[in-house]
Amino acid sequence: MDFLVGIGSNIRKSPYFEATVADGVSCFSVYNHMYIPAHFGDPAAEYKRLTEGVAMWDVAAQRQVEIVGPDAMALMQYLTARDVSTTKIGQGRYVPLCDYEGNLINDPVLLMLSDSRYWISIADSDMELWVKAVAHERGYDVEVFEPDVSPMAVQGPKAEDLVAELFGEWVRDVKYFWFRETELQGIPLVLARSGWSKQGGFELYLTDESRGGELWNIVKNAGSKYGIGPGAPNDVERVESGLLSYGSDARHISFPANPFELGLGKLVDLESGKDFIGRDALARIKAEGARRRYTGFVISGNPITGSENQHPLLRGETEVGIITEMVFSPRLNRNIGIGLVDGDITADADGLTVVLNGATRKVALVSTAEQNPTTVRSKSLPARA
Ligand code: THG
């Protein structure tokens, strides 16, 4: 295909935008109405930095929705299927948000800043509108708005050494998903041990958008001795790690799926007695059993590059699932995928295929844990055909 995508002033720019352009970004995507770097022209090097060194990403497009006021906790609990009542100040939680049908509408990270102040760090859908409407219609005493907060990710096995060098040894004691408000050379931010990879690392939530370029360059310069380089949320690593991508794996307006189907059933707390949006639907879905399940795939043939579209999983002529993303994993030396299969397709099902660019490829199911190179002996995977 040979065309350009038109972008106007309707698409917002991140505080790191100029810095990423200066560092050679070669492809952007759009997320929460904002530019987000997709890659810097060398996917192999970006993957290697993430899995063996350290990478830095502009994820300012993971916008925050701030909820502040006496009813902040009550509203937060009403928004999510997860029991968040035990969350502590300084703790983050992964919180699925559903609509009234029980379908996922976002899967943010919740940050509890105080008893009466929360952020949700959102995936790609308009949550500020939803949260504001729910708050007003139900009469919660809160304010809801998008604050000046712009995350940057520092991910990879060397991320901790770099972040400790920048902020101090205390960062080594920050527990997974916990955070602290701090500053770096006078730049205000929230430092969290989190990020959309399973390589370990931190996210720096910049709270002064005028200082994005400065923060970017401080991290970049300090990271040079660790071989840092720019990157982006990495699709290959996320498929290997089985991390959900709301928008790609499910989207309520075009491809609805519920948390039980998406492997997030353990985060749905129907026993807590808490009321939340989608509760009745989720109780019914749980009782009936989910129709589909989230799974990994191994796909035969030559290395796959880029998968823009979802692809039906076929058995004979029948569609029995959907592969939402396919990638070539350099560490596994095979093509892997992620997506949903019908409940009656067993793990050892044979005769599964996918058609890619007109050619039929064989497909085998693997659990998302089985396709993670750090936890799997690759001989337990089906051979590359
Ligand atoms: N960081 C921040 N905000 C975000 C994301 C992020 N907002 C959008 C998007 N990513 C939200 N989606 C996810 C999906 C998975 C995880 C985090 C955010 C994740 N999951 C772990 C896992 O699956 O192993 C832990 C889940 C758990 O606690 O149970 O990290 O990346 N700021």
Side-chain angles (χ1 to χ4, degrees), residues 5-14 17 30 32-35:
V5 176
I7 287 192
S9 55
N10 56 322
I11 306 299
R12 305 185 281 179
K13 288 183 175 148
S14 139
F17 178 81
V30 174
N32 283 322
H33 315 279
M34 183 176 274
Y35 285 82

Side-chain angles (χ1 to χ4, degrees), residues 31 62 94 107 121-123 176-177 195-196 198 203 205 243:
Y31 193 96
Q62 291 168 354
Y94 183 43
D107 66 332
S121 182
I122 61 171
Y176 184 56
F177 263 53
W196 201 63
K198 287 203 175 165
E203 291 179 300
Y205 292 71
L243 284 171

